[in-house]
Amino acid sequence: MNTDKIKEIFDCVETKADKIIVKKDFLNVIDLIKNNYKFDMLKEIIAIDNKDCIELIYNLYSTENDEDLKLSLTVSNNEADSVSKMYDSAVADEKEIYDLFGIKFIGNDELKRLYMPENWQGHPLRKDYSENDKRLEWNE
Amino acid sequence: MNSTFLKLNLGPQHPSTHGVLRLILEMQGEKIISCEPDIGYLHRGMEKMAEKMSYIRYLPTVDRIDYLAGFFYSELFCRTVESALELDLSERVKYIRVLLLELNRIASHLLWIGAFLMDLGAVSPFFYVFRERELILKYFEKITGQRMMNNYFVFGGVRHDIFDLDDVEEFLKILQNKIQDYNKIITDNPIFVQRTLSKGILAPDLAVNSSITGVNLRASGVKLDFRENDYLYKDIEFNPAVLNGKDSLSRYKARIEELQTSSEIIKQCLEKLKEHTNFRNDLVNPINLKLPTGEFYSQIEAPRGLASCFIKSDGGTSPYRLKWRTGSYYSVNLLRHLLKGEYLNDAIAIAGSLDIILPEVDK
């Protein structure tokens, strides 16, 4: 799959290493990639807290052409668009990211605490988590 | 949830949920209207833990992600670190790893056969498969010192050379006979066929869209096996079984077929190990091991579907971020669709046929 092709169609993407960084219109980009380039499987969504922002990596796969494609999205205001309407597996991934990173996915109605109890404060995989959490003092 | 339907909790302490899976079912009579899986009863914070531990301290814990297929996660973690450090495995080490992985896959599938049949009410196959699985675990104990959670792979190699390969050859002969026995006792059993045929139909489109991989996907007629592009399996020829049944029976048959496929791979490994007798590890000093800055990703075909490991390193002695992808996590998510419209007594059989294991789901 030619990443330059996607760059040509959308002016909102740029490539870095093996990732395509999407700047805007994320849902349109992923919709086109899914339908026109047959990336029919979303292997996983990886969230990374880069301290100044949270990055989501969408790891797409085409079963027909045996190709991988990584899309990168930077989240602002802890809100992102849900892709659960396009990929059913995203429901599970977004639930996990909501629980551990506190990102709200607009369009996913099934977001709630997954691993942590309902009344748990904070999101454990965020980098600012342990510093603020007094409950972890015994572990230091 | 609609108040006119009966809400039924299946689990978390239910013997046939293979751990602590809770399914919140909405029932109309015997029929399931909706299903909502509730997980997290076994969450150990594997990803958070990694950020606090050095690489070598984290290595023994990764086997626990899936205690039935510990070698796979050990291999996956080692592989990711090796790719970051650009370590090169010798041929013999590669085949040792493939041999143990495939033996582990057989052990895992055997246990699944027993557990699945127990879900359907047949208890005796459970003892038969444990008899054969015991031979594998005895061999693992001989080689690694542990029956499960072996902690045998290290960054750049394995702990020591393998020995007593005659045991493996002997086991393969026994397994061949036993597979025929399983077919006589289970596969051709009319009650078993009635409980599983055309139950839990998984359409290929839904399977791919729900990120289902491994045997479950191949039983729906999609030929996708990540071993085919795997560098460890480069010189090994095999044909993954693809079945078109799409139902629980098909998933069972695909696993029986996979026992054969794994046996074939092991046979080739034994031949290759006779050729490559030179054992060489490419080890690094694990004390204060630092990975170069960057993002590293690797994947493997585990018994329960695609497993992958992602490490982001900032050049420190522990990962900046570590992420696991496990096959069962998506199988649990699929139950929302698969159980809809089925009867309650089939729900156990359908959930069982996906081979869900909860430590892998909860991480």
Side-chain angles (χ1 to χ4, degrees), chain A residues 19 42-45 47 49-50 59 61 66 86 88-89 92-93 96 110 112 114-115 124 127, chain B residues 36 39 48 209-211 224 229 295 297 299 308 312 320-321 323 325 329-330 333 336-337 363:
Chain A
K19 288 185 291 195
L42 176 64
K43 273 186 190 168
E44 61 186 326
I45 307 174
D49 186 356
N50 289 332
N59 202 342
Y61 179 72
D66 187 24
M86 283 174 254
D88 186 63
S89 61
D93 286 315
E96 191 180 79
E110 298 189 36
K112 58 172 191 163
L114 188 70
Y115 301 130
K127 290 290 169 189
Chain B
E36 191 194 336
I39 61 169
K48 180 76 183 173
N209 199 260
S210 301
S211 209
L224 176 65
N229 295 334
E295 291 171 6
Y297 178 85
Q299 60 184 37
S308 75
K312 177 167 176 158
Y320 181 79
R321 163 89 171 110
K323 162 90 167 70
R325 184 223 194 263
Y329 184 64
Y330 297 94
N333 188 46
R336 295 178 303 131
H337 302 292
K363 294 184 275 270

Side-chain angles (χ1 to χ4, degrees), chain B residues 243-311:
Chain B
L243 296 163
N244 272 320
K246 305 183 183 73
D247 52 2
S248 300
L249 181 63
S250 191
R251 289 191 277 277
Y252 161 81
K253 281 182 177 165
R255 284 195 177 80
I256 293 277
E257 292 272 326
E258 193 146 284
L259 295 181
Q260 298 277 17
T261 314
S262 292
S263 305
E264 290 300 317
I265 295 174
I266 291 169
K267 269 181 207 157
Q268 292 178 45
C269 280
L270 290 170
E271 291 301 314
K272 301 269 188 195
L273 283 171
K274 278 175 197 157
E275 275 173 42
H276 301 96
T277 48
N278 183 21
F279 176 76
R280 178 180 60 81
N281 271 340
D282 187 8
L283 298 183
V284 284
N285 182 6
I287 312 296
N288 286 329
L289 177 70
K290 287 175 184 160
L291 255 55
T293 310
E295 291 171 6
F296 309 100
Y297 178 85
S298 56
Q299 60 184 37
I300 196 170
E301 172 95 12
R304 277 159 270 277
L306 177 74
S308 75
C309 178
F310 170 89
I311 295 178

Side-chain angles (χ1 to χ4, degrees), chain B residues 134-198:
Chain B
E134 185 63 24
L135 298 171
I136 299 179
L137 295 192
K138 280 253 169 70
Y139 185 67
F140 284 171
E141 192 177 8
K142 203 187 241 179
I143 298 296
T144 69
Q146 287 275 16
R147 289 161 61 81
M148 295 154 89
M149 278 77 87
N150 313 79
N151 190 20
Y152 177 66
F153 299 158
V154 287
F155 309 137
V158 292
R159 297 239 176 239
H160 52 76
D161 198 3
I162 203 167
F163 50 88
D164 281 354
L165 290 169
D166 299 345
D167 291 9
V168 182
E169 276 175 43
E170 188 65 27
F171 167 74
L172 289 182
K173 278 180 203 151
I174 295 170
L175 185 71
Q176 281 310 316
N177 292 330
K178 296 301 175 191
I179 289 174
Q180 287 172 12
D181 284 358
Y182 300 152
N183 283 335
K184 277 184 207 157
I185 301 167
I186 307 165
T187 318
D188 302 335
N189 183 323
I191 302 171
F192 170 71
V193 172
Q194 222 169 28
R195 290 285 319 265
T196 51
L197 184 70
S198 304

Side-chain angles (χ1 to χ4, degrees), chain B residues 12-29:
Chain B
Q13 278 87 20
H14 193 284
S16 64
T17 52
H18 305 270
V20 278
L21 170 66
R22 176 179 171 220
L23 297 174
I24 305 165
L25 304 174
E26 216 179 16
M27 310 286 303
Q28 188 176 38

